[in-house]
Amino acid sequence: MENTGKMLSALLIGAAIGGIVGVLFAPDKGSETRKRLFRRAEELADEVEGKLKEGTTNVKENLKDKWKETLEA
């Protein structure tokens, strides 16, 4: 367990450092990079929201089916 926590911490720190270095050495202006990052974050948020709604709908339909099966039994 302790090694897993250390490995996860190292991974997160490495990702953060890589992100910072990538932004610092990016060929675009900072404002353009921020706009692009913001747009991508919005896209990801929309994707997650869509998947959550889809999952909620699937759960709702499964519960309805199980309820009908229970009532018919």
Side-chain angles (χ1 to χ4, degrees):
M1 288 294 270
E2 189 174 319
N3 287 337
T4 304
K6 287 181 182 180
M7 187 180 296
L8 183 59
S9 295
L11 179 68
L12 291 174
I13 290 169
I17 291 171
I20 291 169
V21 170
V23 169
L24 290 175
F25 289 101
D28 295 335
K29 290 172 42 176
S31 60
E32 292 299 318
T33 301
R34 285 189 299 275
K35 285 179 188 176
R36 193 171 56 230
L37 289 172
F38 184 72
R39 269 182 284 174
R40 184 62 183 138
E42 285 181 326
E43 290 171 5
L44 287 172
D46 290 343
E47 286 179 32
V48 169
E49 183 181 9
K51 290 190 183 292
L52 286 174
K53 285 182 180 179
E54 180 182 315
T56 302
T57 301
N58 289 341
V59 169
K60 184 179 174 181
E61 292 301 318
N62 288 338
L63 287 173
K64 282 182 181 178
D65 292 342
K66 294 294 182 186
W67 181 253
K68 286 179 184 177
E69 289 175 14
T70 303
L71 291 176
E72 291 172 357

